[in-house]
Amino acid sequence: MQSLWMLVASLLFSLMGVCVKLASDHYATAEIVSYRGLIGSLLLLALIRVQRGTLRTTMPGSHLWRGLVGVAALWMWFYAIGRLPLAMAVTLNYMSAVWIAAFLFLRAWRLREQQLDWRLVAAILLGFGGVILLLRPTIHADQWLGGVIALVSGMLAALAYLQVRQMGVAGEPEYRVVFYFSLTCAVAGFLGVSLSALAGGAGWHAHTGQGALLLLAIGITAALAQMAMTRAYRLGNTLLTANLQYLGIVFSSIWDVLIWHDSLSWLSWAGIVVILCSGCLASFYNARNSPAKVAPDPIATE
């Protein structure tokens, strides 16, 4: 089930990326972030009402940390996209899986634990090699600042994913984790637009039918993708979930071909094959290990 949830999350994130790219013709980045968070929050509120859940939490500090780190990673990635070739920005951001492996290695070394499965680490590195083959990133000497920011955004994303894992294992339900993150996005985006308007920027743009539908799609796909990803991190091995995130690049490449009629070279197709093989190997090695104990689904016990 862990692999299935991450597959769903990767597909939804890729659909969200398509909508963000289309919506960028109508709205500024801060507006998209704000509407994404607002629509996601409203969707989660409806889900909480249906499931008879609650927003009361015993982990306010964890939610605040996850929200701030996640929003910072999102903003830094958007900044890097504007300063770097898209392939380089995406590649550096998807180093989050490598950062997760590095953080877990440091934790295991510090605590003198032997729980890190090096076969899964190797699968992550193989998958990242596939990302490089697929995107073939390049960077110029005058783009080093954007490169550093994109690299840091991937590191912060890794910290946010590890925080999501810790909260899930501790019993925090997915809907509550995603709600507070969506709320943080809404507030951060609102502040960004307001500050831009005070500085003489465009501020809020008027809606069109197409623009409104794109914002609605962004909010819904983002919230559902976050829910699926959070459940994937809670259900199983962190390294396997991190490795399966690379599938998002494969889906995005397919959308580029189908919607924008981009052509993929044989190296790009080879990269897709490597990424898929990496995911299969990681799933195979994880299945051979003893299944980890999973915390009960909190939404079913509240």
PDB file of all heavy atoms in Angstrom, residues 26-52:
ATOM      1  N   HIS A  26      -1.577  33.704 -15.668  1.00  0.00           N
ATOM      2  CA  HIS A  26      -2.668  34.535 -15.155  1.00  0.00           C
ATOM      3  C   HIS A  26      -2.354  35.139 -13.787  1.00  0.00           C
ATOM      4  O   HIS A  26      -2.896  36.203 -13.459  1.00  0.00           O
ATOM      5  CB  HIS A  26      -3.950  33.709 -15.024  1.00  0.00           C
ATOM      6  CG  HIS A  26      -4.381  33.044 -16.285  1.00  0.00           C
ATOM      7  ND1 HIS A  26      -5.198  33.652 -17.215  1.00  0.00           N
ATOM      8  CD2 HIS A  26      -4.105  31.808 -16.789  1.00  0.00           C
ATOM      9  CE1 HIS A  26      -5.408  32.830 -18.230  1.00  0.00           C
ATOM     10  NE2 HIS A  26      -4.766  31.699 -17.990  1.00  0.00           N
ATOM     11  N   TYR A  27      -1.495  34.488 -13.006  1.00  0.00           N
ATOM     12  CA  TYR A  27      -1.290  34.897 -11.621  1.00  0.00           C
ATOM     13  C   TYR A  27       0.198  34.893 -11.274  1.00  0.00           C
ATOM     14  O   TYR A  27       0.987  34.159 -11.879  1.00  0.00           O
ATOM     15  CB  TYR A  27      -2.030  33.959 -10.659  1.00  0.00           C
ATOM     16  CG  TYR A  27      -3.499  33.833 -10.934  1.00  0.00           C
ATOM     17  CD1 TYR A  27      -3.994  32.743 -11.662  1.00  0.00           C
ATOM     18  CD2 TYR A  27      -4.411  34.776 -10.467  1.00  0.00           C
ATOM     19  CE1 TYR A  27      -5.348  32.613 -11.919  1.00  0.00           C
ATOM     20  CE2 TYR A  27      -5.770  34.640 -10.725  1.00  0.00           C
ATOM     21  CZ  TYR A  27      -6.226  33.568 -11.450  1.00  0.00           C
ATOM     22  OH  TYR A  27      -7.564  33.437 -11.712  1.00  0.00           O
ATOM     23  N   ALA A  28       0.544  35.696 -10.256  1.00  0.00           N
ATOM     24  CA  ALA A  28       1.902  35.690  -9.725  1.00  0.00           C
ATOM     25  C   ALA A  28       2.090  34.466  -8.834  1.00  0.00           C
ATOM     26  O   ALA A  28       1.127  33.843  -8.379  1.00  0.00           O
ATOM     27  CB  ALA A  28       2.164  36.965  -8.934  1.00  0.00           C
ATOM     28  N   THR A  29       3.357  34.140  -8.558  1.00  0.00           N
ATOM     29  CA  THR A  29       3.662  32.959  -7.754  1.00  0.00           C
ATOM     30  C   THR A  29       3.011  33.023  -6.377  1.00  0.00           C
ATOM     31  O   THR A  29       2.436  32.039  -5.899  1.00  0.00           O
ATOM     32  CB  THR A  29       5.185  32.811  -7.609  1.00  0.00           C
ATOM     33  OG1 THR A  29       5.763  32.634  -8.895  1.00  0.00           O
ATOM     34  CG2 THR A  29       5.526  31.626  -6.724  1.00  0.00           C
ATOM     35  N   ALA A  30       3.096  34.193  -5.721  1.00  0.00           N
ATOM     36  CA  ALA A  30       2.530  34.328  -4.374  1.00  0.00           C
ATOM     37  C   ALA A  30       1.025  34.086  -4.388  1.00  0.00           C
ATOM     38  O   ALA A  30       0.466  33.494  -3.454  1.00  0.00           O
ATOM     39  CB  ALA A  30       2.845  35.713  -3.814  1.00  0.00           C
ATOM     40  N   GLU A  31       0.348  34.536  -5.444  1.00  0.00           N
ATOM     41  CA  GLU A  31      -1.094  34.301  -5.542  1.00  0.00           C
ATOM     42  C   GLU A  31      -1.396  32.809  -5.658  1.00  0.00           C
ATOM     43  O   GLU A  31      -2.325  32.298  -5.023  1.00  0.00           O
ATOM     44  CB  GLU A  31      -1.657  35.025  -6.767  1.00  0.00           C
ATOM     45  CG  GLU A  31      -1.698  36.535  -6.656  1.00  0.00           C
ATOM     46  CD  GLU A  31      -2.229  37.166  -7.923  1.00  0.00           C
ATOM     47  OE1 GLU A  31      -1.462  37.269  -8.898  1.00  0.00           O
ATOM     48  OE2 GLU A  31      -3.423  37.545  -7.947  1.00  0.00           O
ATOM     49  N   ILE A  32      -0.622  32.114  -6.476  1.00  0.00           N
ATOM     50  CA  ILE A  32      -0.849  30.675  -6.656  1.00  0.00           C
ATOM     51  C   ILE A  32      -0.633  29.939  -5.339  1.00  0.00           C
ATOM     52  O   ILE A  32      -1.413  29.053  -4.969  1.00  0.00           O
ATOM     53  CB  ILE A  32       0.085  30.123  -7.752  1.00  0.00           C
ATOM     54  CG1 ILE A  32      -0.262  30.757  -9.103  1.00  0.00           C
ATOM     55  CG2 ILE A  32      -0.023  28.603  -7.841  1.00  0.00           C
ATOM     56  CD1 ILE A  32       0.686  30.380 -10.218  1.00  0.00           C
ATOM     57  N   VAL A  33       0.432  30.313  -4.605  1.00  0.00           N
ATOM     58  CA  VAL A  33       0.701  29.684  -3.310  1.00  0.00           C
ATOM     59  C   VAL A  33      -0.451  29.943  -2.344  1.00  0.00           C
ATOM     60  O   VAL A  33      -0.906  29.042  -1.627  1.00  0.00           O
ATOM     61  CB  VAL A  33       2.028  30.207  -2.727  1.00  0.00           C
ATOM     62  CG1 VAL A  33       2.219  29.720  -1.289  1.00  0.00           C
ATOM     63  CG2 VAL A  33       3.206  29.758  -3.583  1.00  0.00           C
ATOM     64  N   SER A  34      -0.938  31.176  -2.333  1.00  0.00           N
ATOM     65  CA  SER A  34      -2.019  31.529  -1.409  1.00  0.00           C
ATOM     66  C   SER A  34      -3.307  30.783  -1.743  1.00  0.00           C
ATOM     67  O   SER A  34      -3.951  30.205  -0.851  1.00  0.00           O
ATOM     68  CB  SER A  34      -2.261  33.041  -1.466  1.00  0.00           C
ATOM     69  OG  SER A  34      -3.285  33.409  -0.556  1.00  0.00           O
ATOM     70  N   TYR A  35      -3.712  30.792  -3.010  1.00  0.00           N
ATOM     71  CA  TYR A  35      -4.942  30.099  -3.395  1.00  0.00           C
ATOM     72  C   TYR A  35      -4.808  28.590  -3.207  1.00  0.00           C
ATOM     73  O   TYR A  35      -5.774  27.908  -2.833  1.00  0.00           O
ATOM     74  CB  TYR A  35      -5.293  30.416  -4.845  1.00  0.00           C
ATOM     75  CG  TYR A  35      -5.890  31.786  -5.042  1.00  0.00           C
ATOM     76  CD1 TYR A  35      -5.255  32.734  -5.829  1.00  0.00           C
ATOM     77  CD2 TYR A  35      -7.088  32.135  -4.431  1.00  0.00           C
ATOM     78  CE1 TYR A  35      -5.804  34.005  -6.013  1.00  0.00           C
ATOM     79  CE2 TYR A  35      -7.641  33.389  -4.601  1.00  0.00           C
ATOM     80  CZ  TYR A  35      -6.991  34.319  -5.391  1.00  0.00           C
ATOM     81  OH  TYR A  35      -7.542  35.566  -5.562  1.00  0.00           O
ATOM     82  N   ARG A  36      -3.627  28.063  -3.497  1.00  0.00           N
ATOM     83  CA  ARG A  36      -3.393  26.634  -3.268  1.00  0.00           C
ATOM     84  C   ARG A  36      -3.669  26.276  -1.812  1.00  0.00           C
ATOM     85  O   ARG A  36      -4.361  25.304  -1.516  1.00  0.00           O
ATOM     86  CB  ARG A  36      -1.952  26.272  -3.634  1.00  0.00           C
ATOM     87  CG  ARG A  36      -1.508  24.907  -3.128  1.00  0.00           C
ATOM     88  CD  ARG A  36      -0.030  24.678  -3.336  1.00  0.00           C
ATOM     89  NE  ARG A  36       0.418  23.490  -2.601  1.00  0.00           N
ATOM     90  CZ  ARG A  36       1.613  22.944  -2.713  1.00  0.00           C
ATOM     91  NH1 ARG A  36       2.493  23.459  -3.535  1.00  0.00           N
ATOM     92  NH2 ARG A  36       1.942  21.889  -2.011  1.00  0.00           N
ATOM     93  N   GLY A  37      -3.118  27.082  -0.903  1.00  0.00           N
ATOM     94  CA  GLY A  37      -3.311  26.804   0.517  1.00  0.00           C
ATOM     95  C   GLY A  37      -4.741  27.007   0.960  1.00  0.00           C
ATOM     96  O   GLY A  37      -5.290  26.216   1.743  1.00  0.00           O
ATOM     97  N   LEU A  38      -5.403  28.079   0.461  1.00  0.00           N
ATOM     98  CA  LEU A  38      -6.773  28.380   0.871  1.00  0.00           C
ATOM     99  C   LEU A  38      -7.733  27.291   0.423  1.00  0.00           C
ATOM    100  O   LEU A  38      -8.557  26.795   1.214  1.00  0.00           O
ATOM    101  CB  LEU A  38      -7.193  29.731   0.283  1.00  0.00           C
ATOM    102  CG  LEU A  38      -8.641  30.155   0.553  1.00  0.00           C
ATOM    103  CD1 LEU A  38      -8.889  30.302   2.048  1.00  0.00           C
ATOM    104  CD2 LEU A  38      -8.958  31.458  -0.183  1.00  0.00           C
ATOM    105  N   ILE A  39      -7.648  26.898  -0.846  1.00  0.00           N
ATOM    106  CA  ILE A  39      -8.549  25.864  -1.370  1.00  0.00           C
ATOM    107  C   ILE A  39      -8.290  24.536  -0.665  1.00  0.00           C
ATOM    108  O   ILE A  39      -9.225  23.801  -0.320  1.00  0.00           O
ATOM    109  CB  ILE A  39      -8.379  25.736  -2.892  1.00  0.00           C
ATOM    110  CG1 ILE A  39      -8.842  27.018  -3.576  1.00  0.00           C
ATOM    111  CG2 ILE A  39      -9.146  24.530  -3.433  1.00  0.00           C
ATOM    112  CD1 ILE A  39      -8.496  27.099  -5.044  1.00  0.00           C
ATOM    113  N   GLY A  40      -7.017  24.221  -0.449  1.00  0.00           N
ATOM    114  CA  GLY A  40      -6.688  22.991   0.270  1.00  0.00           C
ATOM    115  C   GLY A  40      -7.237  22.985   1.683  1.00  0.00           C
ATOM    116  O   GLY A  40      -7.757  21.962   2.159  1.00  0.00           O
ATOM    117  N   SER A  41      -7.146  24.126   2.366  1.00  0.00           N
ATOM    118  CA  SER A  41      -7.664  24.218   3.735  1.00  0.00           C
ATOM    119  C   SER A  41      -9.168  23.998   3.771  1.00  0.00           C
ATOM    120  O   SER A  41      -9.685  23.286   4.644  1.00  0.00           O
ATOM    121  CB  SER A  41      -7.318  25.596   4.326  1.00  0.00           C
ATOM    122  OG  SER A  41      -5.931  25.792   4.392  1.00  0.00           O
ATOM    123  N   LEU A  42      -9.894  24.612   2.820  1.00  0.00           N
ATOM    124  CA  LEU A  42     -11.351  24.441   2.773  1.00  0.00           C
ATOM    125  C   LEU A  42     -11.726  22.997   2.475  1.00  0.00           C
ATOM    126  O   LEU A  42     -12.677  22.458   3.062  1.00  0.00           O
ATOM    127  CB  LEU A  42     -11.940  25.376   1.713  1.00  0.00           C
ATOM    128  CG  LEU A  42     -11.825  26.876   2.010  1.00  0.00           C
ATOM    129  CD1 LEU A  42     -12.354  27.700   0.842  1.00  0.00           C
ATOM    130  CD2 LEU A  42     -12.553  27.244   3.298  1.00  0.00           C
ATOM    131  N   LEU A  43     -10.964  22.361   1.566  1.00  0.00           N
ATOM    132  CA  LEU A  43     -11.225  20.954   1.249  1.00  0.00           C
ATOM    133  C   LEU A  43     -11.002  20.076   2.474  1.00  0.00           C
ATOM    134  O   LEU A  43     -11.801  19.169   2.759  1.00  0.00           O
ATOM    135  CB  LEU A  43     -10.317  20.507   0.105  1.00  0.00           C
ATOM    136  CG  LEU A  43     -10.427  19.034  -0.325  1.00  0.00           C
ATOM    137  CD1 LEU A  43     -11.816  18.753  -0.887  1.00  0.00           C
ATOM    138  CD2 LEU A  43      -9.358  18.702  -1.376  1.00  0.00           C
ATOM    139  N   LEU A  44      -9.930  20.351   3.208  1.00  0.00           N
ATOM    140  CA  LEU A  44      -9.641  19.549   4.405  1.00  0.00           C
ATOM    141  C   LEU A  44     -10.673  19.788   5.494  1.00  0.00           C
ATOM    142  O   LEU A  44     -11.036  18.854   6.229  1.00  0.00           O
ATOM    143  CB  LEU A  44      -8.237  19.881   4.914  1.00  0.00           C
ATOM    144  CG  LEU A  44      -7.093  18.989   4.409  1.00  0.00           C
ATOM    145  CD1 LEU A  44      -7.300  17.550   4.865  1.00  0.00           C
ATOM    146  CD2 LEU A  44      -6.993  19.029   2.899  1.00  0.00           C
ATOM    147  N   LEU A  45     -11.166  21.028   5.622  1.00  0.00           N
ATOM    148  CA  LEU A  45     -12.213  21.298   6.604  1.00  0.00           C
ATOM    149  C   LEU A  45     -13.465  20.475   6.300  1.00  0.00           C
ATOM    150  O   LEU A  45     -14.109  19.942   7.210  1.00  0.00           O
ATOM    151  CB  LEU A  45     -12.548  22.792   6.615  1.00  0.00           C
ATOM    152  CG  LEU A  45     -11.594  23.697   7.385  1.00  0.00           C
ATOM    153  CD1 LEU A  45     -12.002  25.159   7.213  1.00  0.00           C
ATOM    154  CD2 LEU A  45     -11.558  23.335   8.864  1.00  0.00           C
ATOM    155  N   ALA A  46     -13.818  20.389   5.022  1.00  0.00           N
ATOM    156  CA  ALA A  46     -14.980  19.570   4.636  1.00  0.00           C
ATOM    157  C   ALA A  46     -14.740  18.104   4.973  1.00  0.00           C
ATOM    158  O   ALA A  46     -15.642  17.410   5.467  1.00  0.00           O
ATOM    159  CB  ALA A  46     -15.256  19.748   3.141  1.00  0.00           C
ATOM    160  N   LEU A  47     -13.515  17.604   4.693  1.00  0.00           N
ATOM    161  CA  LEU A  47     -13.189  16.211   5.004  1.00  0.00           C
ATOM    162  C   LEU A  47     -13.256  15.952   6.503  1.00  0.00           C
ATOM    163  O   LEU A  47     -13.784  14.912   6.945  1.00  0.00           O
ATOM    164  CB  LEU A  47     -11.790  15.884   4.479  1.00  0.00           C
ATOM    165  CG  LEU A  47     -11.257  14.488   4.813  1.00  0.00           C
ATOM    166  CD1 LEU A  47     -12.109  13.419   4.151  1.00  0.00           C
ATOM    167  CD2 LEU A  47      -9.795  14.350   4.378  1.00  0.00           C
ATOM    168  N   ILE A  48     -12.765  16.894   7.290  1.00  0.00           N
ATOM    169  CA  ILE A  48     -12.792  16.735   8.744  1.00  0.00           C
ATOM    170  C   ILE A  48     -14.230  16.661   9.249  1.00  0.00           C
ATOM    171  O   ILE A  48     -14.557  15.865  10.146  1.00  0.00           O
ATOM    172  CB  ILE A  48     -12.032  17.903   9.413  1.00  0.00           C
ATOM    173  CG1 ILE A  48     -10.530  17.795   9.109  1.00  0.00           C
ATOM    174  CG2 ILE A  48     -12.258  17.913  10.920  1.00  0.00           C
ATOM    175  CD1 ILE A  48      -9.750  19.033   9.487  1.00  0.00           C
ATOM    176  N   ARG A  49     -15.097  17.470   8.666  1.00  0.00           N
ATOM    177  CA  ARG A  49     -16.509  17.460   9.079  1.00  0.00           C
ATOM    178  C   ARG A  49     -17.159  16.116   8.746  1.00  0.00           C
ATOM    179  O   ARG A  49     -17.900  15.543   9.561  1.00  0.00           O
ATOM    180  CB  ARG A  49     -17.256  18.600   8.398  1.00  0.00           C
ATOM    181  CG  ARG A  49     -18.707  18.725   8.831  1.00  0.00           C
ATOM    182  CD  ARG A  49     -19.361  19.942   8.197  1.00  0.00           C
ATOM    183  NE  ARG A  49     -20.751  20.090   8.629  1.00  0.00           N
ATOM    184  CZ  ARG A  49     -21.130  20.699   9.744  1.00  0.00           C
ATOM    185  NH1 ARG A  49     -20.205  21.221  10.547  1.00  0.00           N
ATOM    186  NH2 ARG A  49     -22.401  20.800  10.060  1.00  0.00           N
ATOM    187  N   VAL A  50     -16.870  15.591   7.548  1.00  0.00           N
ATOM    188  CA  VAL A  50     -17.453  14.315   7.129  1.00  0.00           C
ATOM    189  C   VAL A  50     -16.940  13.174   8.008  1.00  0.00           C
ATOM    190  O   VAL A  50     -17.696  12.292   8.410  1.00  0.00           O
ATOM    191  CB  VAL A  50     -17.135  14.044   5.647  1.00  0.00           C
ATOM    192  CG1 VAL A  50     -17.518  12.622   5.263  1.00  0.00           C
ATOM    193  CG2 VAL A  50     -17.871  15.051   4.759  1.00  0.00           C
ATOM    194  N   GLN A  51     -15.635  13.199   8.308  1.00  0.00           N
ATOM    195  CA  GLN A  51     -15.017  12.121   9.078  1.00  0.00           C
ATOM    196  C   GLN A  51     -15.185  12.303  10.586  1.00  0.00           C
ATOM    197  O   GLN A  51     -14.703  11.479  11.361  1.00  0.00           O
ATOM    198  CB  GLN A  51     -13.515  12.041   8.752  1.00  0.00           C
ATOM    199  CG  GLN A  51     -13.217  11.683   7.310  1.00  0.00           C
ATOM    200  CD  GLN A  51     -13.444  10.225   7.033  1.00  0.00           C
ATOM    201  OE1 GLN A  51     -13.716   9.439   7.936  1.00  0.00           O
ATOM    202  NE2 GLN A  51     -13.334   9.831   5.767  1.00  0.00           N
ATOM    203  N   ARG A  52     -15.842  13.415  10.994  1.00  0.00           N
ATOM    204  CA  ARG A  52     -16.031  13.714  12.417  1.00  0.00           C
ATOM    205  C   ARG A  52     -14.681  13.810  13.139  1.00  0.00           C
ATOM    206  O   ARG A  52     -14.523  13.336  14.268  1.00  0.00           O
ATOM    207  CB  ARG A  52     -16.920  12.665  13.087  1.00  0.00           C
ATOM    208  CG  ARG A  52     -18.309  12.546  12.471  1.00  0.00           C
ATOM    209  CD  ARG A  52     -19.152  11.513  13.188  1.00  0.00           C
ATOM    210  NE  ARG A  52     -20.444  11.350  12.575  1.00  0.00           N
ATOM    211  CZ  ARG A  52     -21.514  12.121  12.830  1.00  0.00           C
ATOM    212  NH1 ARG A  52     -21.400  13.102  13.702  1.00  0.00           N
ATOM    213  NH2 ARG A  52     -22.659  11.896  12.218  1.00  0.00           N
TER     214      ARG A  52
END
